[in-house]
Amino acid sequence: MSTSSTASTPGGRVGAVWAQDRSGVIGADGDVPWDVPEDLKHFSRTTRGHGVVMGRATWDSLPERWRPLPGRRCVVLTRDPSWSAPGAVTATTLAEALEAAAQPGEGADGEVWVIGGAQVYALALAEGALDVLAITEVDLDVEGDRAEQALAPEVDPAAWTAVRRDPDGGGWATAENGTRYRITWYERS
Ligand SMILES: NC(=O)c1ccc[n+]([C@@H]2O[C@H](COP(=O)([O-])OP(=O)(O)OC[C@H]3O[C@@H](n4cnc5c(N)ncnc54)[C@H](OP(=O)(O)O)[C@@H]3O)[C@@H](O)[C@H]2O)c1
């Protein structure tokens, strides 16, 4: 898992990657409520060639042409053991999902990234399954009722240390469409 040239971590560790607005919103109406292509490139660079674990709702939210996500072993967590979709591995517990995603082969190398959504990030964090977080902050406030939005899990600042920022120094990058964003990688303190 390469978080930077100086902060790479050995195999067998699990990362989570997400993007959130200023207040932690990651999704609304079953979708990601902004368009930052540069962040999608970061997502792709981070996860390609690895196993990814996602909730069934996140799988459903992917455009059909991106299912399964190319170059990644896609494991979908659902409580319905009969659920299946072409190109997806079904898992009914987080442990089973992480194990399936860590199997090498089919374009994956044993490294695992949890890719959402809110329920699955919260579960993975609560179960202590995560070693690395790659969090994109998008500099906007999504409007709407928070009770109906998908939210990022609370990240305890005492438990996680920022090991890399892009851009360096805590500033913002500006997407071509004018939206500001920045990415921070964290490891367990
Ligand atoms: N901004 C970002 O970086 C980002 C990334 C990913 C997703 N998102 C957004 O997040 C939203 C989706 O998040 P979400 O929280 O609604 O759904 P989710 O976490 O993607 O999936 C929830 C589903 O996962 C399964 N599940 C959850 N906990 C489980 C457990 N303990 N055991 C077995 N299965 C379990 C259940 O599937 P069944 O109902 O089939 O049993 C549940 O309905 C969308 O808006 C999406 O666009 C944003």
Side-chain angles (χ1 to χ4, degrees):
M1 186 167 298
S2 300
T3 51
S4 75
S5 54
T6 55
S8 65
T9 58
R13 298 180 77 180
V14 178
V17 55
W18 72 77
Q20 63 180 54
D21 82 347
R22 290 185 198 125
S23 67
V25 174
I26 65 163
D29 301 322
D31 213 342
V32 175
W34 52 77
D35 179 31
V36 181
E38 290 85 345
D39 187 56
L40 290 180
K41 286 195 188 108
H42 150 69
F43 171 80
S44 194
R45 273 196 308 272
T46 302
T47 58
R48 213 174 238 277
H50 312 308
V52 295
V53 171
M54 74 192 92
R56 198 259 317 146
T58 292
W59 171 271
D60 285 347
S61 77
L62 295 173
E64 211 162 324
R65 68 182 189 285
W66 293 110
R67 293 196 308 229
L69 289 167
R72 281 148 278 197
R73 178 196 293 269
C74 289
V75 180
V76 176
L77 186 59
T78 172
R79 293 187 176 87
D80 177 1
S82 68
W83 184 91
S84 72
V89 177
T90 303
T92 56
T93 65
L94 180 65
E96 191 192 320
L98 294 172
E99 193 182 328
Q103 298 303 313
E106 294 170 35
D109 63 353
E111 184 172 315
V112 175
W113 286 89
V114 174
I115 63 164
Q119 289 183 34
V120 174
Y121 291 133
L123 178 66
L125 199 61
E127 292 205 358
L130 302 176
D131 306 293
V132 174
L133 308 176
I135 303 175
T136 301
E137 293 167 81
V138 180
D139 190 23
L140 50 78
D141 284 311
V142 174
E143 291 182 5
D145 181 354
R146 282 177 75 82
E148 295 189 358
Q149 293 168 334
L151 303 177
E154 291 288 332
V155 175
D156 177 0
W160 294 90
T161 302
V163 294
R164 181 187 170 197
R165 296 180 200 278
D166 186 7
D168 274 343
W172 295 91
T174 304
E176 263 188 36
N177 64 18
T179 307
R180 299 200 311 169
Y181 68 101
R182 63 185 173 198
I183 307 169
T184 307
W185 285 260
Y186 298 86
E187 291 184 5
R188 287 190 175 284
S189 302

